[in-house]
């Protein structure tokens, strides 16, 4: 089944989202410390890569649900089938073009023409250094306000073996890619964190130009660009 590659993410953007709260859910280990995430699903939610595992989207309305990825390697992970069966808007980078004959009803985005630390307000591309900045960029363009970040930790807490929430589970429960639970080495992930922080600084300015607040729901996050709060306190900022 083929896809119409003219199906841009910009087709989704309209005024219905403006001024309403939203959440961008990364995959950091802090997610495993949230005992009840269900209240966030009353609002618009962006799921990034493997956080689709936490999304109760087997049924329901697409309109407030988005899954975003820059990384076509997601297609090889064993959570891919869950994604395909999830009722949500699925948005991927144009680098996935070579895979579009395997996808149906996916939207695409092209990258911003500027470097990671620069946002041109008139560019209809999205931040590209990784999937969380991409999601945050789109959330800003939708006009969501405030935007809460969950699982955007960018660190290796304590003796954890990795940066993902599922690293807190038993190894046999970790998602796998081609039968192997493989994640990038720390030096690679630290480089991603570096470029992400450049993007966050630029996106913070972009959001402020639109009077949009961005709040990180992890006081121990290594991302210092945004105000940090405990997840339990997010309703105070609605």
């Amino acid at each position: 089944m083929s896809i119409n590659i003219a199906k841009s993410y910009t087709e989704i953007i309209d005024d219905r989202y403006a001024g309403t709260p939203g959440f961008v859910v990364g995959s950091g280990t802090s997610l495993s410390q949230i005992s009840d995430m269900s209240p966030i699903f009353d609002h618009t939610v962006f799921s990034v890569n493997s956080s689709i595992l936490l999304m109760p989207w087997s049924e329901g309305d697409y309109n407030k649900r988005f899954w975003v990825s820059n990384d076509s390697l997601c297609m090889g992970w064993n959570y891919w089938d869950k994604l395909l069966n999830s009722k949500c808007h699925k948005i991927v980078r144009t680098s996935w073009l070579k895979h579009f004959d395997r996808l149906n009803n996916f939207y695409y985005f092209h990258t911003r023409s500027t470097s990671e630390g620069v946002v041109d307000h008139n560019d209809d591309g999205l931040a590209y250094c990784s999937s969380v900045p991409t999601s945050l960029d789109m959330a800003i363009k939708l006009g969501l306000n405030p935007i809460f970040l969950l699982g955007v930790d960018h660190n290796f807490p304590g003796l954890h073996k990795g940066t993902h929430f599922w690293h807190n589970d038993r190894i046999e429960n970790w998602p796998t890619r081609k039968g192997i639970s493989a994640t990038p080495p720390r030096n690679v992930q630290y480089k991603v964190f570096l470029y992400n922080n450049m993007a966050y600084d630029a996106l913070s300015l972009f959001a402020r130009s639109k009077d949009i607040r961005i709040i990180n729901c992890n006081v121990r996050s290594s991302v210092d660009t945004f105000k940090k709060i405990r997840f339990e306190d997010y309703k105070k900022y609605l």
Side-chain angles (χ1 to χ4, degrees), residues 39-122:
I40 77 170
F41 299 113
D42 292 334
H43 307 289
T44 300
V45 175
F46 281 80
S47 169
V48 173
N49 296 335
S50 65
S51 70
I52 189 65
L53 291 165
L54 302 176
M55 302 297 124
W57 291 347
S58 59
E59 298 178 352
D61 188 356
Y62 281 65
N63 285 331
K64 292 185 177 182
R65 303 169 177 180
F66 301 87
W67 179 83
V68 176
S69 182
N70 277 264
D71 187 2
S72 61
L73 290 177
C74 287
M75 299 177 72
W77 285 83
N78 62 356
Y79 56 74
W80 181 249
D81 285 343
K82 175 178 171 61
L83 170 69
L84 292 181
N85 291 312
S86 292
K87 309 300 184 186
C88 64
H89 296 297
K90 304 170 182 76
I91 302 153
V92 296
R93 184 173 170 166
T94 49
S95 58
W96 290 49
L97 273 167
K98 59 187 175 183
H99 302 294
F100 275 3
D101 61 343
R102 295 176 52 192
L103 308 176
N104 184 42
N105 292 325
F106 276 56
Y107 294 85
Y108 79 94
F109 72 92
H110 64 269
T111 61
R112 286 185 173 276
S113 58
T114 49
S115 63
E116 292 87 347
V118 178
V119 168
D120 176 354
H121 296 200
N122 297 315

Side-chain angles (χ1 to χ4, degrees), residues 164-176:
H164 295 73
F165 66 93
W166 37 266
H167 283 123
N168 286 338
D169 203 347
R170 297 170 63 90
I171 292 179
E172 57 266 30
N173 295 330
W174 291 4
T176 59

Side-chain angles (χ1 to χ4, degrees), residues 215-216 218-224 226-230:
I215 301 170
N216 191 345
N218 176 13
V219 294
R220 294 184 175 86
S221 171
S222 294
V223 177
D224 296 323
F226 312 111
K227 179 181 179 67
K228 300 178 192 178
I229 64 169
R230 299 185 313 150

